[in-house]
Amino acid sequence: MNPAQEAAELEYQPPPPEADEDIQHSLFGEILDWMLAPLLLLWPMSIAITYLVAKSIANQPFDHALEDSVTVLAQQVRSVDGKIIKSLSGSARDILRADDIDNVYFQIQGPRGEHIDGDRDMPQPVLDDEDKSSAGGVRFRNDTMHGTPVRIAFAYVQLERHDGHAPQLALVQVAETLEKRAQLANAIIKGVILPQFIVLPVVLALVWFALARGLSPLAQLQERIRARSPEDLSPIASNQVPEEITPLVRSLNEMLSRLSQTIDMQKRFIADAAHQMRTPLAGMRMQSELALRQTDKQEIHRSLEQLAKSSEAATRLVNQLLALARAENQQPSGSAMQPLDLGELARNVVQDWVQASFSHRIDLGFEAPREPLTITGNPTMLRELLSNLIDNALRYTPAGGSVTVRVRCDELEHAYLEVEDTGPGIAPAERERVFERFYRILGNTAEGSGLGLAIVREIAQQHGAEVDIYSNPRATQPKLPGALFRLTFPLPPAPPEPEEEAPHYG
C-alpha cells in the first residue's frame, strides 16, 4: 500500500451511525411491513395446516374401507365345539388382498393367541383384558410391517360358547400400506397450494395498490399546503380530507390560528411602539434644536431640562415596551415557574418603592398575611406586575395621600394581592378599557405611556390570575374615591399529610 492510500484511509472516517430517533420512517413502508410480514408468516403455517388437514381427509375413506374389511372378516369367524373356524374361501382371500398400489395384510388369532389364518408376523395391539372387553367395534392404529409404515384396523370378536363358560375373544386385523393415502394427500395439497402461488402475488399487488390509493389524500394535502403563499394562514378545509386525517388537520388549523394571532400581535405591537416612540423622539429633537439656537444660558438650561424629561419618558416607554414583549412571550408552564412566598415577594417590591413614595410625598404601606402564602409563579414577572401597579398608584395619587399593598387569603383556597390608593379612582365604564395598550383616560394629566396595566393583565393571565378593579372602600374624600386593584391567585393543593404509623409492639 503506498503512502497516498494510507493517508486517504487515515483521512476518511465513516459517518457515525444515526440514532433510531433521527431515521425518517415511511408511513407507506410501515403499513406495508405490518401487512406483509404477518402474511408471509402465516403462509407457511397455512401450508402446514393444509398438509395436516389433507392427511386427515385422505385417511377417512381408506379407514372406512379397512373398517369394512375387518367387519366382513369378523363375520366369517365362529366357534364350533370350542374350536374357532373360518369360512373364508380362496377367492374371498384374493379379493381382500387385491390392490394395485398398496399391500394388504390380514390376520385372525384365537383367544390364546394361536394363529388361525392370515399373516403370522403382523404386530399385535398393546391392550389389557379390560380394554379388549370394552373395545367393542373396529379400532385403528399406526404401526410398521416389514419396515414399512402401515395403517391397521382391528377388532375383538366375541365367540359364544354352549358349555356355559364366558365367551371367547378372537382378534381380527387388516393392515394396509400408506401409498394411496400419500398420493391422495399430495393431490389435495397440490390442489390447495398451487392456487395460492397465483393468488399471493395478486394479493400483494392489490395491497400495494390499496395503500398507494389510500395514502394519496396525504400527497394531495401536501400539494395544497405547498401551493399556499407564506402570508396565507387561513384554516385548511377539513371536509376535503379523509376522516382519519381530520384530527391532524384540526391540530394544524389550531396551530395556524395561534401563529396568526402571534403575528398579528407582533405587528400591532410594532405599529403601536413606532407610534408611541415618535412623540418623545420628536420632542427630544425639537428641544435639542431649540437649545442649539438659544444664546441665553437660562433658556438653554430650560431646554435641556425639557430634553431630560423627554428622554426619561422615552426610556420609561422603551422599558415598558420590552416588559410587555417579555410578558407576552412568557410560557405559562415554563421552567421559570416555581413555588414562591407571595407575601415576601410583595414586601421586597414595596421596599424598592419606598424612596419613590417619599419624593411623591405619599404614605406607602404594606399589610402582610398572617402566615406565608405559597403560589406557583415567575418571581421576575410578578415583581414587574406589582411594580407597575405601585408605580401607577403613586403617579395618580395626589401628594399627602396613601398607597397600601396588601396580601391575604380566604377560606376558598385563593390568595389575594391588592394595591389600594386614595387617588381619583377609575369610573366603572373605564375599568375594562384601561387594560388596553396605550389607552389613557381623557382629562388625565399624569405622566404615563398607557402600558402599565396592559403588562399587569398579560402577566396575570400567564399565572392564571384574575384582575379586578374596585373603588377604595376606605376612601374618606368624595372627590377622591380611590382605586383598589385586586389580583386573585389560585393556591396550589396542599400536600397530603403523612399517615401515622401504627405502634409496633415487639
Side-chain angles (χ1 to χ4, degrees):
M1 180 179 297
N2 56 39
Q5 292 177 343
E6 293 181 356
E9 290 189 357
L10 290 175
E11 291 178 358
Y12 173 76
Q13 293 181 355
E18 295 184 354
D20 186 63
E21 294 81 1
D22 299 334
I23 299 176
Q24 186 176 13
H25 298 280
S26 168
L27 181 61
F28 183 88
E30 289 283 340
I31 299 176
L32 197 63
D33 289 344
W34 281 102
M35 294 184 68
L36 296 185
L39 183 62
L40 297 177
L41 180 64
L42 291 174
W43 190 50
M45 296 176 59
S46 69
I47 294 177
I49 294 174
T50 302
Y51 175 73
L52 295 177
V53 172
K55 287 187 63 176
S56 176
I57 295 175
N59 280 333
Q60 290 179 5
F62 297 107
D63 283 349
H64 287 315
L66 282 180
E67 183 180 4
D68 293 340
S69 299
V70 171
T71 302
V72 172
L73 192 58
Q75 292 175 355
Q76 307 300 320
V77 180
R78 62 183 185 275
S79 177
V80 178
D81 295 333
K83 295 182 180 180
I84 299 176
I85 62 173
K86 58 174 179 29
S87 56
L88 189 64
S89 62
S91 59
R93 185 178 311 196
D94 295 336
I95 294 174
L96 182 62
R97 292 183 182 272
D99 197 308
D100 296 336
I101 299 175
D102 285 313
N103 295 325
V104 180
Y105 310 95
F106 76 94
Q107 182 187 66
I108 301 176
Q109 282 188 351
R112 293 177 296 275
E114 66 273 19
H115 178 73
I116 304 300
D117 196 1
D119 300 279
R120 295 179 177 271
D121 54 355
M122 281 190 68
Q124 302 299 309
V126 182
L127 297 174
D128 54 20
D129 294 338
E130 184 177 354
D131 290 335
K132 294 177 182 179
S133 60
S134 61
V138 179
R139 304 184 68 179
F140 297 90
R141 74 179 191 274
N142 295 320
D143 214 321
T144 58
M145 190 169 179
H146 302 156
T148 304
V150 292
R151 180 75 166 170
I152 301 176
F154 63 96
Y156 288 92
V157 183
Q158 291 187 354
L159 303 177
E160 298 294 337
R161 298 181 60 177
H162 300 286
D163 54 3
H165 291 82
Q168 296 177 328
L169 294 177
L171 175 62
V172 178
Q173 295 188 100
V174 178
E176 182 183 50
T177 55
L178 307 179
E179 185 63 27
K180 291 195 300 294
R181 300 168 187 264
Q183 292 179 1
L184 180 57
N186 292 334
I188 295 175
I189 292 174
K190 290 179 181 179
V192 175
I193 299 301
L194 289 178
Q196 291 187 7
F197 284 98
I198 302 175
V199 173
L200 186 60
V202 176
V203 171
L204 296 179
L206 291 177
V207 168
W208 187 283
F209 176 77
L211 283 177
R213 179 74 175 177
L215 295 178
S216 59
L218 288 177
Q220 297 174 3
L221 179 62
Q222 175 187 357
E223 293 298 329
R224 285 162 49 193
I225 295 176
R226 183 178 296 174
R228 286 187 168 209
S229 63
E231 295 79 13
D232 187 5
L233 297 178
S234 60
I236 302 171
S238 59
N239 58 348
Q240 299 179 2
V241 298
E243 183 178 355
E244 290 77 11
I245 313 178
T246 301
L248 175 61
V249 173
R250 290 176 180 171
S251 301
L252 286 175
N253 288 337
E254 293 176 1
M255 185 189 68
L256 291 174
S257 177
R258 293 193 300 268
L259 182 60
S260 178
Q261 292 177 1
T262 302
I263 294 176
D264 291 342
M265 188 181 302
Q266 291 179 352
K267 290 180 178 179
R268 186 167 62 251
F269 176 84
I270 294 173
D272 293 341
H275 175 73
Q276 294 298 323
M277 287 296 297
R278 187 180 296 112
T279 300
L281 291 178
M284 293 172 63
R285 179 180 179 181
M286 182 184 67
Q287 293 297 333
S288 62
E289 292 177 351
L290 182 62
L292 291 173
R293 289 197 300 268
Q294 296 290 339
T295 57
D296 188 1
K297 292 184 178 181
Q298 293 183 352
E299 294 296 333
I300 294 174
H301 182 73
R302 190 179 298 110
S303 298
L304 291 177
E305 286 181 347
Q306 294 295 328
L307 183 62
K309 291 182 180 179
S310 298
S311 64
E312 181 182 356
T315 301
R316 173 177 170 76
L317 177 60
V318 170
N319 290 335
Q320 288 202 320
L321 286 172
L322 294 176
L324 180 60
R326 185 169 63 250
E328 289 178 343
N329 291 291
Q330 178 69 26
Q331 296 296 327
S333 58
S335 58
M337 292 290 183
Q338 61 186 35
L340 55 90
D341 186 352
L342 183 60
E344 186 64 24
L345 182 141
R347 184 191 304 274
N348 295 333
V349 176
V350 170
Q351 290 176 354
D352 295 339
W353 285 90
V354 170
Q355 190 64 36
S357 68
F358 290 160
S359 63
H360 287 80
R361 292 182 297 162
I362 295 175
D363 180 17
L364 177 60
F366 174 66
E367 296 181 7
R370 297 180 180 179
E371 57 185 15
L373 292 180
T374 302
I375 66 171
T376 301
N378 186 327
T380 303
M381 303 307 294
L382 289 178
R383 290 178 66 91
E384 182 72 25
L385 177 148
L386 185 54
S387 295
N388 278 277
L389 287 178
I390 296 175
D391 180 41
N392 188 74
L394 293 178
R395 288 178 179 275
Y396 289 94
T397 301
S402 63
V403 174
T404 304
V405 178
R406 185 182 300 109
V407 177
R408 62 183 181 87
C409 68
D410 60 8
E411 298 179 354
L412 300 177
E413 298 182 350
H414 291 98
Y416 298 99
L417 174 62
E418 298 177 345
V419 178
E420 184 180 271
D421 63 57
T422 57
I426 300 176
E430 301 282 347
R431 290 175 181 174
E432 184 63 29
R433 299 194 62 189
V434 294
F435 291 105
E436 299 177 2
R437 299 178 185 179
F438 307 109
Y439 179 80
R440 292 176 58 82
I441 300 175
L442 294 177
N444 187 9
T445 59
E447 295 181 358
S449 61
L451 286 175
L453 295 182
I455 295 173
V456 169
R457 182 177 64 175
E458 187 66 32
I459 297 176
Q461 290 176 350
Q462 295 289 344
H463 288 76
E466 297 180 0
V467 186
D468 298 298
I469 304 177
Y470 305 95
S471 298
N472 187 353
R474 299 171 182 80
T476 57
Q477 300 183 26
K479 293 184 179 181
L480 297 174
L484 172 63
F485 287 83
R486 176 180 297 164
L487 284 93
T488 306
F489 293 90
L491 288 175
E497 297 181 358
E499 298 181 359
E500 296 183 359
E501 296 183 0
H504 177 71
Y505 300 98

